[in-house]
Amino acid sequence: MAQHAHIVGTGSSMPERILFNKDLEEIVDTNDEWIVRRSGIRERRISSKVREESTTDLATQASARALEMAGVSPGELDMIVVGTVTPDRQFPSTGCMVQEALKAEKAAAFDVSAGCSGFLYALTMVNNAIRCGTCGTALVVGVERLSSIINWDDRGTCVLLADGAGAAVVRSVPEEGGILSSHLRSDGTLWELLYSADGSSRTPAILHDINIRPFHLRMDGNPLFRRAIGCMSEIAREALGHNSLSGEDISLVVPHQANIRIIQGLANNLRIPMEKVYTNIERYGNTSSATIPIALDEANRKGLLKKGDHVLLVTFGAGLTWGASILEWSM
Ligand code: UT7
């Protein structure tokens, strides 16, 4: 019998500390008015070194909340897939660290590196595994501690990026619905628009130029901004067309939260009113692969998603990578 992948629980976890735009005025030459007008961000969460807010901690807390909502015990998980570009360490994977923390003994665990698209890529891996019959119950996580790779002297990026985690429990179910389709794209020729400058096997520590500070994120914001709207609109249209749906059939869009103007441009292109687009960028900034699962969890817990609703997830990020997925909500 054909199996379908349904989201049966969501969870999220944000660091306690709030960094306001005013606080950033003390660090770089910026101001609240510019940040709000150009990005839509008013505040963001930054993890602490002393509290339990590492990538693994945030991912584990978000996962535990998603499992609790789903009524699934960690021992039932067959697979844990984590989208992240800021793991606690290069290896082993954050997936394995989360597996240990949850005591999910029988799960296969690994990470997916797809920039801000990490959660959607991970969700797609799980959807495919469920449809193939190789996985019954899975945990999909998007988590970042971008504060660890931000260049705090670069006003073009440090005002945008932040930390957080979101998760979803996905189950194999015979009933139709759940994840209807996923559509992924990449363009590696444009990797230099957004990348981590160091901290890899390409530049062994012994050879470091002392002027290059390791792991710093570099972004060419304006060309990325222009491509983001086009790529997200195109892939969203592909997902809609594949399912014979139009913008009017979508109850809620849960987009990657990189910039409110990107989200507005996407909504405008799809002719979907902003009232049907979930945004929380104002409070959390851009948490890369975590933005979509955090937003999905908030929308779910606020009761904005009803059984049978069509939900459009759409993302764009480093790689470049982008993608869209349509869900028929079944909780
Ligand atoms: O997560 C997925 C990947 N990320 C994205 O898709 C992000 C895409 N990019 C963006 O969101 C926008 O490009 C930014 C928010 C990063 C920048 O907005 P923009 O409208 O593209 O501005 P800009 O880069 O063209 O810069 C305009 C001006 C520049 O000054 P000059 O050269 O015109 O004098 C910047 O130096 O704004 C200046 N600027 C700032 N001013 C105050 C840049 N950052 C800041 C800042 N505060 N924080």
Side-chain angles (χ1 to χ4, degrees):
M1 190 189 289
Q3 293 296 307
H4 303 272
H6 289 236
I7 292 179
V8 293
T10 60
S12 56
S13 175
M14 304 305 294
E16 246 176 74
R17 183 179 168 207
I18 302 176
L19 191 68
F20 295 95
N21 289 349
K22 283 270 169 229
D23 301 324
L24 285 158
E25 290 178 8
E26 311 287 316
I27 302 173
V28 284
D29 179 15
T30 191
N31 57 77
D32 176 60
E33 190 274 330
W34 189 97
I35 302 170
V36 174
R37 183 166 47 83
R38 296 287 184 127
S39 72
I41 302 166
R42 291 184 188 274
E43 58 187 65
R44 72 285 290 141
R45 300 299 179 98
I46 299 296
S47 62
S48 145
K49 282 186 192 140
V50 289
R51 279 190 290 270
E52 291 188 343
E53 294 179 338
S54 70
T55 292
T56 300
D57 295 330
L58 293 171
T60 303
Q61 286 153 16
S63 300
R65 286 171 189 157
L67 287 163
E68 188 186 8
M69 182 189 282
V72 167
S73 70
E76 293 176 75
L77 292 172
D78 299 308
M79 196 178 266
I80 299 173
V81 191
V82 178
T84 188
V85 295
T86 46
D88 284 343
R89 45 184 71 79
Q90 208 169 14
F91 69 89
S93 68
T94 304
C96 286
M97 308 306 289
V98 171
Q99 177 190 30
E100 184 209 18
L102 292 174
K103 300 189 176 57
E105 294 93 357
K106 72 167 174 144
F110 60 99
D111 290 359
V112 167
S113 173
C116 302
S117 307
F119 178 79
L120 206 61
Y121 269 61
L123 188 69
T124 305
M125 301 301 105
V126 160
N127 182 34
N128 293 344
I130 286 177
R131 282 173 179 262
C132 287
T134 56
C135 172
T137 306
L139 179 67
V140 185
V141 184
V143 57
E144 302 294 355
R145 197 183 195 184
L146 293 172
S147 58
S148 67
I149 59 165
I150 287 172
N151 175 356
W152 290 98
D153 294 330
D154 176 15
R155 67 177 182 171
T157 54
C158 76
V159 304
L160 305 172
L161 307 169
D163 305 336
V169 178
V170 187
R171 237 182 175 164
S172 171
V173 173
E175 287 81 36
E176 292 201 355
I179 303 169
L180 298 186
S181 71
S182 261
H183 307 259
L184 305 179
R185 293 281 188 286
S186 305
D187 183 356
T189 66
L190 295 171
W191 68 269
E192 280 177 293
L193 292 181
L194 180 53
Y195 66 100
S196 163
D198 210 338
S200 65
S201 61
R202 195 176 163 84
T203 44
I206 199 165
L207 296 176
H208 272 171
D209 176 336
I210 53 162
N211 294 317
I212 301 175
R213 293 205 258 151
F215 298 100
H216 274 165
L217 179 142
R218 296 191 186 173
M219 182 175 86
D220 196 353
N222 196 266
L224 261 189
F225 178 91
R226 283 183 277 114
R227 277 186 177 80
I229 299 177
C231 290
M232 290 169 90
S233 303
E234 195 182 307
I235 203 79
R237 283 197 194 101
E238 181 181 311
L240 289 166
H242 182 88
N243 293 287
S244 305
L245 298 171
S246 74
E248 283 180 10
D249 300 314
I250 296 297
S251 303
L252 196 70
V253 183
V254 181
H256 171 49
Q257 317 270 322
N259 188 315
I260 193 69
R261 292 182 294 137
I262 293 175
I263 297 172
Q264 288 162 343
L266 168 74
N268 190 42
N269 284 350
L270 299 179
R271 297 184 202 287
I272 295 178
M274 278 301 284
E275 300 76 67
K276 285 167 78 176
V277 181
Y278 192 84
T279 62
N280 58 12
I281 188 169
E282 188 174 289
R283 287 177 286 125
Y284 297 146
N286 180 351
T287 56
S288 186
S289 64
T291 66
I292 288 181
I294 293 168
L296 192 65
D297 181 49
E298 283 196 348
N300 190 20
R301 285 174 194 267
K302 284 180 182 171
L304 300 179
L305 301 169
K306 308 262 177 315
K307 202 173 163 119
D309 278 357
H310 286 122
V311 182
L312 170 66
L313 311 182
V314 52
T315 189
F316 175 84
L320 301 181
T321 58
W322 62 102
S325 186
I326 294 187
L327 316 176
E328 187 181 308
W329 200 251
S330 51
M331 286 179 67

